[in-house]
Amino acid sequence: MPGAINIGQLSCPRPISKSDRVLLGHGSGGTMSADLIRNTFLQEWDNPVLAALEDQATLDLSGWIRSNSHLIPRLAFTTDSFVVQPLFFPGGDIGTLAVHGTVNDLAVGGAIPQFLSAAFILEEGLLIEDLRRIVASMRTACKDAGVTLVTGDTKVVNRGKGDQVFITTSGIGWIPEGRSLSIHNARPGDQVLISGTIGDHGVTIMSQREGIEFETVLESDSAPLNALTEAMLKACPKIRCMRDPTRGGVSSTLNELADASGVGVKLWESRLPIRREVRGACEMLGLDPLYVANEGKLVAVVPADAAEGLLQVMRSNRLGKNAVAIGEIVSDHPGIVVLKSMIGGERVVTMLAGEQLPRIC
Amino acid sequence: MRFQDEYRDPVAAKQLITAISRVVTRPWTIMEVCGGQTHTIVKYGIDELLPNGVELVHGPGCPVCVTPLELIDKAIAIATRSDVIFCSFGDMLRVPGSQSDLFAIKATGADVRIVYSPLDCLKIAEQNPHRVVVFFAVGFETTAPANAMAVAQAKKRKLSNFAVLVSHVLVPPAMSAILSSLDNRVQGFLGAGHVCAVMGLEEYVPIAERFQIPIVVTGFEPLDLLEGIYECVCMLERRQVGVGNQYSRAVRRDGSPRAIELIHQVFEVCDRKWRGIGEIPLSGYRLTEPYQQFDAETRFNVQQVTVHESEQCISGLILQGIRKPHQCQAFCKSCTPEHPLGATMVSSEGACAAYYNYGRLRHPVAAGSEI
């Protein structure tokens, strides 16, 4: 006959309420989830919509509509997921990317970003301190961009089933009357402008990942572009389209544009703004800066007669101070991007097939 | 980067192109050996800037392209094992084997990692004592010293969980094989600068004399290639036989004696199969007897694998300068970087990839093919 159970020896597997790491219980929806939300997210985003902790954000549009002559505005809505290693890098972290990426997707469409949501997928074992750092930099990024984070979600997955943190942000912005930017709008004769140096973000991440060091500190260009796009659109409402060349780099953006507008793009290699360190790292690793990701740059296609004036406007903004014209839209070779090399030859710049891979020798 | 920019100067490039045009009196066919040179040529449009008489054909100097299918399949068989961490340079990962590639098996759970140096594998081996770290030792004489160093270091540190899958190939035997072919069109060579930086120039003298041709060792920047072409054309016009050195800023006549000594300590010459070309006698390296314990093929008993090569792919002819990528029926049609039939479409140094990526506008594809 089994012995009597000693009640005093039993212990309840209650989760530790105070832990310096993310535990599965933080995703349970119970008190630990509530604590995490209160102590981590609400600490940074102190606004009445989010603090209401409803299942949805209820947004009052009346003020905006009144100030815009009672017109019902058009809305821009976007969503994007962010996965990056390392989580922290010179010039930003996964949190700033998550805010800037969504803000920029709205801004390059001519929208004025207003509200953001953020969904966090956390891996069991993540340091709470790291999460706090990410959330704090997200708050600063939201403030810089003038957006309000109004709703969110948190899930915790088992250790080994995630990569520390994944963040999905969605954003809503208003599009003022009369704006119509689209990658279908490019016309032969238009100029292609870029707001600054290319490849900074991708090479920063890769050099951090692979332990490559430079003489000077190379930083990600992660930044919110909405102030720049507003200044540009106010100065030149005729802008045909704007895109932020993130994953896939400038080449992917221009190939998509050439394809959608049924035009050719001609680039001048000698005008591509590329930092010395980025060029060096790309040469060493066998990468092409045209394919490397950016997080704070935009490509704009504008009528030729507006290009010079717009460049002046861009250069007067901190994020556009290195703006240059890098190419033109042509009617030859529709759908294809061609680069005029420094020594006078021409080559096609294709979309990237898969990831860029470091070469053998 | 100022140093590098000097080798991309447009004014100097135009002067060299004019100089080449002035000396050419009849058509010449010159082969650049190295895939890195092929990419510079097509990327900067050097081939289209040359006078009509000077034709460049592309050589077998892409280590990814010539790695035999058997070895890719062996690599995949080894990498699939749960007790193995398989390390490779990045561009080997997409090369198609008979059934799969290293990227695909990585996605199914194999521990396949990209490294930038074979010495990184030793660190991984030390951190993972219960698993075997296998490095795919691919390349020409260029990568052999670093790979030899990794093996020598592993022996010194008594690392029993490190092994190499050796697929080293040597340039001079391949040049001789091309020149000996009945279909050969090559009249002069641009020698591969990186290889010669290690091995020196002496190996090329007997080839130049036996086949009565000029060989000009050349670097990888646009002006390096234009200078090399100019020197080679001048030698051809003068019927001059011998070995020139355009890349003297990196290549010494005796190469790097320390690197050569290290290579010979760890590797010995053997017959080697080249993908698309076949077996070339004494054209590869294998581990010497004292280092046999690091041979992954023996350790994992993958001597026998059955391979299946695409019947459409003519990469062998392309690697020998007999055909050009756009003359292949599959080019841009059934063979693209997304769905490559052969390694020449995959590698960052492959001639087909260079033509696909950079040269599609100026090289009309073969009848029946389409972009």
Side-chain angles (χ1 to χ4, degrees):
Chain A
M1 189 177 167
I5 296 169
N6 182 345
I7 303 279
Q9 284 182 348
L10 286 180
S11 67
C12 174
R14 264 180 50 195
I16 311 155
S17 61
K18 280 200 186 298
S19 165
D20 60 349
R21 289 182 185 274
V22 167
L23 306 175
L24 282 172
H26 283 124
S28 65
T31 55
M32 286 183 70
S33 303
D35 285 348
L36 187 75
I37 289 166
R38 207 167 19 249
N39 298 330
T40 307
F41 298 112
L42 291 186
Q43 288 258 320
E44 298 291 348
W45 290 303
D46 182 21
N47 70 68
V49 184
L50 186 67
L53 293 177
E54 299 286 355
D55 280 349
Q56 76 297 120
T58 304
L59 308 172
D60 183 359
L61 310 185
S62 53
W64 196 90
I65 292 171
R66 263 197 305 278
S67 65
N68 284 274
S69 314
H70 305 282
L71 292 172
I72 303 296
R74 283 183 301 147
L75 287 183
F77 179 41
T78 186
T79 190
D80 209 344
S81 297
F82 296 84
V83 293
V84 64
Q85 277 295 342
L87 296 178
F88 303 95
F89 46 81
D93 59 48
I94 188 171
T96 57
L97 285 187
V99 173
H100 295 155
T102 292
V103 164
N104 293 348
D105 281 346
L106 293 170
V108 294
I112 301 168
Q114 292 288 308
F115 300 112
L116 244 55
S117 77
F120 296 81
I121 295 175
L122 310 175
E123 187 184 9
E124 180 190 14
L126 171 74
L127 286 171
I128 299 277
E129 181 51 35
D130 285 349
L131 181 61
R132 282 192 210 283
R133 275 178 70 192
I134 291 166
V135 175
S137 56
M138 286 179 81
R139 182 193 39 107
T140 309
C142 284
K143 192 170 166 232
D144 290 350
V147 293
T148 312
L149 192 137
V150 291
T151 186
D153 183 45
T154 311
K155 295 282 188 296
V156 178
V157 295
N158 280 295
R159 196 171 190 129
K161 300 288 181 191
D163 202 1
Q164 295 188 277
V165 184
F166 299 144
I167 305 176
T168 298
T169 45
S170 299
I172 289 177
W174 323 125
I175 303 178
E177 271 300 302
R179 287 186 186 174
S180 174
L181 287 88
S182 163
I183 55 167
H184 296 89
N185 289 351
R187 298 286 173 268
D190 289 350
Q191 293 275 299
V192 180
L193 315 182
I194 189 146
S195 61
T197 53
I198 62 174
D200 298 1
H201 174 74
V203 168
T204 301
I205 295 292
M206 190 165 284
S207 60
Q208 287 287 305
R209 219 180 273 161
E210 309 302 341
I212 299 166
E213 290 179 8
F214 300 99
E215 284 172 25
T216 51
V217 176
L218 190 58
E219 284 195 347
S220 165
D221 58 355
S222 182
L225 292 167
N226 48 334
L228 176 63
T229 56
E230 266 312 289
M232 289 170 67
L233 282 161
K234 279 191 178 134
C236 177
K238 294 191 292 185
I239 293 173
R240 311 267 198 216
C241 87
M242 294 191 286
R243 295 289 285 236
D244 57 335
T246 52
R247 221 162 25 127
V250 171
S251 82
S252 296
T253 296
L254 293 177
N255 271 285
E256 285 167 14
L257 176 97
D259 188 48
S261 291
V263 294
V265 178
K266 192 168 199 172
L267 295 178
W268 305 297
E269 185 179 32
S270 56
R271 295 201 194 172
L272 292 176
I274 305 170
R275 278 183 207 285
R276 214 171 60 129
E277 299 88 334
V278 171
R279 280 180 63 189
C282 286
E283 289 284 341
M284 196 164 74
L285 296 168
L287 307 175
D288 187 336
L290 279 171
Y291 295 95
V292 176
N294 311 275
E295 290 293 345
K297 297 290 158 33
L298 65 84
V299 169
V301 176
V302 299
D305 59 2
E308 198 43 54
L310 194 57
L311 279 171
Q312 297 301 330
V313 171
M314 292 168 80
R315 287 171 190 152
S316 65
N317 184 297
R318 183 178 62 86
L319 297 176
K321 65 175 194 262
N322 295 318
V324 281
I326 55 169
E328 63 182 324
I329 304 296
V330 294
S331 51
D332 307 337
H333 51 77
I336 294 178
V337 181
V338 169
L339 181 116
K340 188 99 176 159
S341 82
M342 271 191 266
I343 67 161
E346 286 190 342
R347 70 166 161 111
V348 176
V349 178
T350 52
M351 291 278 265
L352 191 61
E355 291 285 306
Q356 279 204 104
L357 296 174
R359 67 172 171 225
I360 273 190
C361 60
Chain B
M1 281 304 109
R2 196 176 66 83
F3 186 70
Q4 189 185 54
D5 289 342
E6 287 169 10
Y7 291 90
R8 295 176 183 181
D9 176 27
V11 177
K14 280 201 182 92
Q15 286 168 349
L16 278 163
I17 290 159
T18 309
I20 294 166
S21 305
R22 283 207 188 108
V23 295
V24 172
T25 61
R26 48 161 290 195
W28 298 110
T29 304
I30 300 170
M31 173 179 274
E32 81 278 357
V33 173
C34 174
Q37 294 170 328
T38 305
H39 269 250
T40 302
I41 287 164
V42 189
K43 189 171 173 182
Y44 287 90
I46 289 174
D47 48 346
E48 86 183 288
L49 297 170
L50 290 175
N52 281 338
V54 181
E55 185 189 2
L56 295 176
V57 292
H58 316 304
C62 164
V64 176
C65 302
V66 299
T67 298
L69 191 56
E70 293 93 302
L71 268 164
I72 309 278
D73 288 345
K74 284 175 184 176
I76 290 167
I78 293 169
T80 314
R81 295 173 59 108
S82 59
D83 57 342
V84 163
I85 299 171
F86 194 88
C87 300
S88 169
F89 293 131
D91 41 4
M92 285 307 296
L93 265 58
R94 260 206 304 262
V95 181
S98 296
Q99 307 290 338
S100 187
D101 59 63
L102 286 165
F103 250 137
I105 64 153
K106 182 177 189 299
T108 62
D111 194 347
V112 177
R113 303 184 190 181
I114 294 175
V115 291
Y116 294 87
S117 159
L119 292 168
D120 293 344
C121 300
L122 303 188
K123 281 185 221 150
I124 299 172
E126 280 165 346
Q127 288 159 1
N128 296 273
H130 302 300
R131 297 171 72 193
V132 184
V133 174
V134 180
F135 177 64
F136 204 173
V138 174
F140 286 87
E141 294 92 326
T142 327
T143 53
N147 293 348
M149 174 70 86
V151 175
Q153 284 283 324
K155 190 176 170 78
K156 204 171 159 189
R157 296 190 213 172
K158 298 187 169 54
L159 269 180
S160 59
N161 65 328
F162 174 70
V164 284
L165 183 60
V166 182
S167 180
H168 273 295
V169 277
L170 307 176
V171 167
M175 289 165 71
S176 296
I178 287 164
L179 293 167
S180 305
S181 161
L182 293 176
D183 298 319
N184 174 51
R185 299 171 55 223
V186 178
Q187 296 164 297
F189 272 107
L190 303 180
H194 291 163
V195 169
C196 296
V198 176
M199 304 304 286
L201 305 178
E202 294 299 336
E203 296 177 304
Y204 297 87
V205 176
I207 299 173
E209 284 171 0
R210 180 180 158 204
F211 296 99
Q212 291 291 292
I213 57 157
I215 301 171
V216 180
V217 174
T218 306
F220 299 86
E221 292 299 325
L223 292 195
D224 287 328
L225 283 150
L226 287 168
E227 274 181 18
I229 294 164
Y230 174 69
E231 198 174 330
C232 194
V233 170
C234 288
M235 289 174 80
L236 285 164
E237 289 285 344
R238 293 198 297 261
R239 304 284 189 273
Q240 189 181 342
V241 168
V243 180
N245 183 11
Q246 180 278 331
Y247 202 35
S248 57
R249 68 182 187 275
V251 173
R252 288 170 23 178
R253 188 147 200 103
D254 61 346
S256 168
R258 277 190 65 193
I260 294 170
E261 190 189 331
L262 184 61
I263 291 172
H264 291 160
Q265 180 191 326
V266 175
F267 295 122
E268 63 190 9
V269 174
C270 65
D271 297 344
R272 183 64 76 178
K273 256 190 206 160
W274 294 53
R275 188 169 192 173
I277 297 177
E279 186 154 303
I280 303 177
L282 304 177
S283 69
Y285 283 141
R286 67 180 170 212
L287 291 166
T288 53
E289 203 277 326
Y291 295 94
Q292 283 292 312
Q293 59 187 293
F294 298 103
D295 185 5
E297 281 193 69
T298 315
R299 181 166 190 153
F300 295 105
N301 192 21
V302 284
Q303 300 296 342
Q304 298 298 326
V305 291
T306 309
V307 301
H308 175 74
E309 190 77 81
S310 161
E311 285 158 15
Q312 285 179 284
C313 179
I314 62 160
S315 62
L317 300 177
I318 290 164
L319 291 166
Q320 296 171 76
I322 297 166
R323 288 273 191 284
K324 290 198 174 175
H326 62 288
Q327 294 165 339
C328 172
Q329 292 294 327
F331 181 67
C332 288
K333 195 178 179 190
S334 55
C335 185
T336 64
E338 290 85 359
H339 299 286
L341 294 182
T344 43
M345 184 56 95
V346 181
S347 164
S348 59
E349 296 183 13
C352 296
Y355 271 59
Y356 184 93
N357 285 331
Y358 309 133
R360 278 187 290 164
L361 282 189
R362 58 180 186 271
H363 297 293
V365 296
S369 300
E370 60 190 35
I371 291 178

